[in-house]
Amino acid sequence: MIFPERAVWPGLFLLSAAALAFQVTLTRLFSVAQFYHFAFMIVSVAMLGYGASGTWLAIMPSLARIEPRRVVSRLALLIGLSLLGGYLLINLLPFDSFSLAVDRRQIGILILHYLALAMPFFFSGMAVGLLLAIFPQEAGKTYAVNLLGSALGCVIALAAPARLGSEGTVVLSSALAALAALACSSNSFSRLKATKVASPNFFLPPSSFRLHPSLFILLPSSLILLFSLLDLGLRLTGQATFSFLELRLSPYKSLSYVLQYPGAKVIYRRWNAFSRVDVVRSSGIHSLPGLSYRYLQPLPPQDGLLVDGGDLSALLPPETDTAFTDFLPSAIAFRLRPAASALILEPRGGLDILTALALGASRVTAVEVNPLIVEAAPVYADPRLRTVIESERSYLRRTDEHFDIIVLSLASSYHPVRSGAYALGEDYRYTVEAFQGALARLKPGGLLAVTRWLQDPPSEDLRTFALAVTALEKAGGDPHSQIVAFRGYNTATILVKNSLFTQNELLAIRNFAANRALDLTYAPGIRPDETNLYNILPESIYYQTYTALLDAPERDDFYAAYLYDVTPPTDDHPFFGHYFKWAQAGQVWAELGKTWQPFGGAGYFVILALLILATLLAAVLILLPLAARQKTNSLHPSSFRLHPLLYFAFIGFAFLLVEIPLIQRFILYLGHPAYAMTTVIFTLLLLSALGSRLSEHIPLRWALAVLVILLLISPLWLSPIFALTLGLPLALRLALTVLLLAPLGFLMGIPFPAGIRWATESLRPDADLPPSAFRLLPSALIPWLWAVNGAASVVASVLAALLVLTFGFGWVLQIGALCYAGAWFICSRLKAFQ
């Protein structure tokens, strides 16, 4: 015998997989079509949909009286339609963040995007909320099925793009939702086949025909499935698919600009789990950052390599004349160390590889995390090169080899720092620990070369300089005597030596800079009149800021007084692109809409505005059911109190305040955001499903207490384990990630279903509650709690991003632990949990 609630579990499993696969895929699509900093919004959009579903169910409790399989099949169909519809909307009606300050229509488009993208999660949330309301006694099992399906969605989002592309993964998600609708309609289909027509006359008047209700689910679901199969079949066989599904990029992405060059055409395009790589051929491509203007020969022909539609880097053919490489900033390292063993970290198109080979390096090792780049760039086929496909930090931890030169390549395009819109990207290459790791892999007298873009006032170059200073000091070195810095007209280069620079080396650097019109900005014993000679500025600001940083009695005082936040990033706070300080607020507002930057130059304030908006929306989602029930006189003072609302708000905050910093923390360990996001979410959901399934057998107070303790001590055990195992192969690190997060995931799955059972128990007439308490009708209570949980998650998704940006991962995990502690405090004081 199949119990009614279990008959719908296959459909719930599939629609949950569809929703989560779509959510993860959206982060990739936004990273490519817009910019990386848009991706975090997807979590808030999803949580908004889930929270709104609970509010709607609380207002419309009559929905809980519909036969479960019928309502879930309808919701699954709506998920499939809204998945495709939402994607097509954002693709065909794109949001333009650059013109937001001058074109008010963009506000309406942004709101429309939010609503459209929230709809699949709204319908998914309705399916889960309805089943929880209809079968509260099976809350643990229902929630477990939902989490298991979501875990499968993570795997799909990781595995499918390599064969289908992210556009194809959206289509696959829609197909899963259609399968869910068909799975829940299977019994209706059987009844439809058994239906007999009363008269054998097939020429009855149209008014005598009545369509069976199941056809309204079966036909659209079958059409979605057929369309999906056709599209996926074309993609798998390498044929052209439907053009309206092809992702359209923002006109401000580098790829959009490059395609406007003379004769530009895409000669290579592939997706993998964490990126899209394009190669464009055009005679107009010239991307040699830092090249001295003293190089007067024609530039070599180049193709352009772009990752996620941005960060253009040059691809040079094997027969390229390499004379120009001696005029690049990194050439000085190879002049100081002839026949060097060189390590090039994240070389992208391979410009620094070509430089090393051309200038006589005896052995060159390139570490590149993205296999698609290695496949697309010709330089990686050079037999003189040893290529390692791995994250830089993992390789530096694992290798025993030491090098004469380590080059940290300039892999990003120029981004103005004042907008704050690029602040959310984690970059573990530019942290104190990363620089320490690179210095530790240098031979005696070895050199670390780092090049960054120049900004005025000094910002990313100054932060790089501060990183070198801090890393040397932590290693016991003397930054006054072990750093040299120089600039061209658009880049700055920092040379760090693991011992003192000799006078001969300093003389060679001065001659190199003079011959190539490069300005010294710092060197041991430098004089002010040696600076600002070629690329002349009103003041020698780079020399002044570097020496002010080095000579500051208290570095913290220098950082506090400086215009931008240029404190050295750490692994706990790896936001190299975050320069915002509240002292800039006046200037940002004065320039709002006057600079050609995302959100008119006020990107950081947009995040704050989103937090305010999320808080207001959460209040509406929580209070609207209460207002609606009062209006219909279904709110009765008798047997329900406010503790459940606080409890579900606490666990809603806690889950996201733990999940988001864990994802960002594991980026370092797993080497890429996509791996971290998928693995962390998969593990938490899979183990939470097990915890939910067994929740009725585990005391909630003890589960919460252990969870709080594990979270509070997590910095003490995560960091040492990372340090010991970062050099292991990726497969082993993935397995260790699952093992490390398994206890947290299991315990995080217990509070929600246990809370549902407690709330259900509190509705009994004999419940031991005070007269001042109140209750809602049973059919509205559980959806309302679902809404409260989702509303808290809406706020937490944005709040976590801001808190991590401000305080670091460790602090946010502690705040998540405190939220779980709040839930523990509530349940420990109530008899229902004893």
Side-chain angles (χ1 to χ4, degrees):
M1 176 181 179
I2 299 178
F3 294 97
E5 67 274 11
R6 298 183 184 180
V8 80
W9 285 351
L12 177 63
F13 177 82
L14 289 171
L15 69 86
S16 299
L20 209 290
F22 182 61
Q23 179 182 338
V24 175
T25 303
L26 273 180
T27 64
R28 295 294 318 125
L29 290 169
F30 268 80
S31 293
V32 177
Q34 294 285 342
F35 297 92
Y36 176 79
H37 51 274
F38 281 85
F40 90 98
M41 298 181 184
I42 301 304
V43 180
S44 65
V45 168
M47 293 302 106
L48 175 63
Y50 288 124
S53 71
T55 299
W56 184 253
L57 290 172
I59 295 173
M60 302 290 292
S62 60
L63 293 173
R65 293 194 289 270
I66 303 176
E67 198 271 324
R69 292 183 66 159
R70 183 185 302 174
V71 70
V72 172
S73 65
R74 294 174 182 175
L75 291 170
L77 172 60
L78 290 172
I79 291 170
L81 293 171
S82 59
L83 283 175
L84 281 177
Y87 169 69
L88 290 175
L89 175 69
I90 65 171
N91 204 35
L92 301 177
L93 183 64
F95 168 65
D96 184 354
S97 63
F98 280 75
S99 62
L100 181 65
V102 295
D103 183 2
R104 301 304 179 194
R105 292 176 302 174
Q106 298 304 320
I107 297 176
I109 293 174
L110 180 61
I111 294 172
L112 186 61
H113 282 193
Y114 256 75
L115 293 176
L117 293 177
M119 294 312 295
F121 309 106
F122 173 78
F123 296 128
S124 176
M126 280 190 67
V128 178
L130 271 173
L131 293 177
L132 290 173
I134 297 171
F135 307 112
Q137 73 280 4
E138 297 286 348
K141 298 172 184 176
T142 300
Y143 195 48
V145 172
N146 167 241
L147 294 173
L148 282 172
S150 298
L152 174 63
C154 287
V155 176
I156 291 171
L158 181 67
R163 296 298 306 276
L164 304 175
S166 287
E167 303 100 326
T169 308
V170 172
V171 175
L172 177 60
S173 301
S174 183
L176 288 173
L179 279 176
L182 292 174
C184 290
S185 300
S186 58
N187 63 334
S188 299
F189 183 63
S190 299
R191 291 198 302 268
L192 177 61
K193 291 194 296 183
T195 301
K196 302 295 184 179
V197 179
S199 169
N201 185 2
F202 293 99
F203 300 97
L204 295 174
S207 58
S208 65
F209 285 98
R210 293 183 61 189
L211 290 175
H212 194 282
S214 297
L215 290 175
F216 293 101
I217 302 297
L218 297 171
L219 291 179
S221 300
S222 300
L223 288 174
I224 291 175
L225 197 56
L226 287 173
F227 168 78
S228 301
L229 291 174
L230 175 60
D231 178 77
L232 298 177
L234 292 172
R235 293 179 188 276
L236 289 171
T237 55
Q239 301 180 59
T241 184
F242 303 101
S243 60
F244 60 85
L245 290 174
E246 184 177 349
L247 184 64
R248 299 187 181 185
L249 273 63
S250 163
Y252 310 108
K253 293 297 290 273
S254 298
L255 179 56
S256 299
Y257 286 117
V258 171
L259 289 175
Q260 298 178 45
Y261 291 174
K265 62 178 180 179
V266 177
I267 61 172
Y268 176 96
R269 173 173 294 166
R270 282 197 62 186
W271 290 86
N272 60 14
F274 54 84
S275 68
R276 188 180 100 173
V277 173
D278 293 87
V279 176
V280 179
R281 177 159 294 166
S282 168
S283 60
I285 295 176
H286 302 293
S287 179
L288 302 173
L291 182 68
S292 167
Y293 58 72
R294 291 273 177 89
Y295 181 74
L296 302 178
Q297 301 305 310
L299 295 177
Q302 306 163 43
D303 294 332
L305 181 142
L306 303 102
V307 179
D308 286 351
D311 296 332
L312 174 69
S313 59
L315 296 183
L316 294 111
E319 66 277 6
T320 296
D321 180 358
T322 58
F324 73 94
T325 59
D326 197 33
F327 289 78
L328 291 171
S330 60
I332 181 57
F334 297 95
R335 281 181 162 264
L336 293 173
R337 298 290 179 272
S341 60
L343 173 65
I344 316 296
L345 300 176
E346 195 167 345
R348 284 292 174 94
L351 185 61
D352 286 321
I353 296 174
L354 200 64
T355 301
L357 295 172
L359 297 180
S362 62
R363 188 173 71 257
V364 182
T365 301
V367 179
E368 172 58 57
V369 71
N370 195 331
L372 294 184
I373 292 176
V374 175
E375 178 181 280
V379 70
Y380 292 98
D382 194 303
R384 296 171 292 172
L385 177 69
R386 181 167 71 99
T387 301
V388 180
I389 300 177
E390 188 176 358
S391 72
E392 301 87 345
R393 296 289 300 276
S394 175
Y395 178 79
L396 288 171
R397 174 68 64 177
R398 136 179 109 71
T399 186
D400 293 327
E401 191 173 358
H402 290 73
F403 304 88
D404 296 306
I405 298 171
I406 296 178
V407 178
L408 182 53
S409 296
L410 178 58
S412 62
S413 299
Y414 173 85
H415 298 305
V417 303
R418 285 186 295 179
S419 77
Y422 304 94
L424 289 173
E426 312 87 354
D427 195 338
Y428 284 100
R429 297 173 305 154
Y430 293 95
T431 68
V432 174
E433 294 87 345
F435 274 45
Q436 287 180 283
L439 291 172
R441 287 288 166 257
L442 290 173
K443 292 179 179 179
L447 296 170
L448 169 65
V450 186
T451 297
R452 294 299 306 179
W453 297 104
L454 277 182
Q455 309 244 6
D456 183 14
S459 52
E460 61 177 288
D461 62 292
L462 179 57
R463 174 166 272 175
T464 307
F465 188 82
L467 275 169
V469 169
T470 306
L472 279 173
E473 289 178 337
K474 286 183 175 292
D478 177 14
H480 291 84
S481 304
Q482 294 177 237
I483 298 178
V484 171
F486 56 86
R487 66 178 176 88
Y489 63 91
N490 65 352
T491 62
T493 299
I494 314 293
L495 283 179
V496 188
K497 189 180 176 186
N498 61 359
S499 59
L500 304 184
F501 277 100
T502 67
Q503 290 303 314
N504 287 338
E505 289 171 336
L506 293 174
L507 179 60
I509 292 171
R510 283 178 165 88
N511 291 334
F512 176 88
N515 292 335
R516 289 155 183 78
L518 302 173
D519 292 288
L520 287 174
T521 50
Y522 181 78
I526 190 172
R527 302 186 311 272
D529 61 347
E530 294 183 90
T531 68
N532 204 27
L533 298 177
Y534 307 105
N535 306 276
I536 299 175
L537 301 171
E539 292 185 50
S540 188
I541 55 174
Y542 299 97
Y543 162 74
Q544 293 168 4
T545 52
Y546 292 1
T547 53
L549 170 64
L550 272 175
D551 297 337
E554 294 291 338
R555 294 270 163 72
D556 289 342
D557 292 339
F558 173 86
Y559 296 136
Y562 196 69
L563 174 63
Y564 295 136
D565 179 3
V566 292
T567 53
T570 65
D571 284 349
D572 188 60
H573 191 261
F575 300 102
F576 184 81
H578 176 52
Y579 297 91
F580 179 81
K581 293 175 73 172
W582 281 102
Q584 300 170 241
Q587 180 185 7
V588 170
W589 283 114
E591 295 180 351
L592 180 61
K594 300 176 183 177
T595 60
W596 203 244
Q597 299 173 28
F599 304 105
Y604 188 82
F605 288 105
V606 170
I607 305 174
L608 292 174
L610 280 175
L611 178 61
I612 296 172
L613 178 61
T615 304
L616 293 174
L617 286 173
V620 171
L621 293 178
I622 292 170
L623 297 177
L624 192 58
L626 188 60
R629 308 310 293 170
Q630 284 179 322
K631 186 175 179 180
T632 58
N633 295 319
S634 57
L635 179 63
H636 303 290
S638 58
S639 62
F640 182 71
R641 48 185 169 178
L642 291 174
H643 290 96
L645 299 181
L646 293 175
Y647 173 84
F648 278 90
F650 271 131
I651 64 174
F653 271 107
F655 200 99
L656 268 293
L657 289 175
V658 170
E659 181 185 74
I660 289 177
L662 281 177
I663 291 172
Q664 294 175 302
R665 192 71 175 89
F666 274 84
I667 292 173
L668 165 64
Y669 191 59
L670 299 178
H672 198 278
Y675 287 153
M677 182 176 187
T678 305
T679 307
V680 170
I681 294 178
F682 169 79
T683 303
L684 293 181
L685 292 177
L686 181 66
L687 272 297
S688 290
L690 181 60
S692 176
R693 178 64 181 84
L694 301 176
S695 60
E696 56 190 287
H697 306 294
I698 301 172
L700 177 60
R701 287 188 303 158
W702 287 105
L704 284 171
V706 174
L707 178 57
V708 169
I709 293 171
L710 284 178
L711 289 173
L712 288 175
I713 65 173
S714 60
L716 302 178
W717 54 270
L718 270 182
S719 296
I721 292 175
F722 281 6
L724 288 172
T725 61
L726 186 58
L728 294 176
L730 177 61
L732 288 179
R733 281 180 279 134
L734 288 168
L736 275 173
T737 299
V738 174
L739 292 175
L740 290 172
L741 295 179
L744 292 176
F746 179 82
L747 294 169
M748 289 166 70
I750 295 173
F752 185 87
I756 292 292
R757 285 193 297 273
W758 163 49
T760 305
E761 287 292 315
S762 70
L763 295 172
R764 294 184 308 171
D766 59 342
D768 182 19
L769 298 172
S772 60
F774 65 87
R775 72 172 170 89
L776 289 173
L777 296 175
S779 57
L781 168 60
I782 293 174
W784 191 22
L785 298 178
W786 176 250
V788 170
N789 185 262
S793 298
V794 172
V795 178
S797 61
V798 183
L799 182 62
L802 278 175
L803 290 176
V804 163
L805 201 59
T806 305
F807 300 109
F809 305 138
W811 276 98
V812 181
L813 277 174
Q814 306 303 303
I815 295 171
L818 291 177
C819 289
Y820 275 122
W824 172 86
F825 179 78
I826 289 173
C827 73
S828 65
R829 293 177 59 87
L830 297 178
K831 186 175 181 179
F833 284 102
Q834 304 302 316

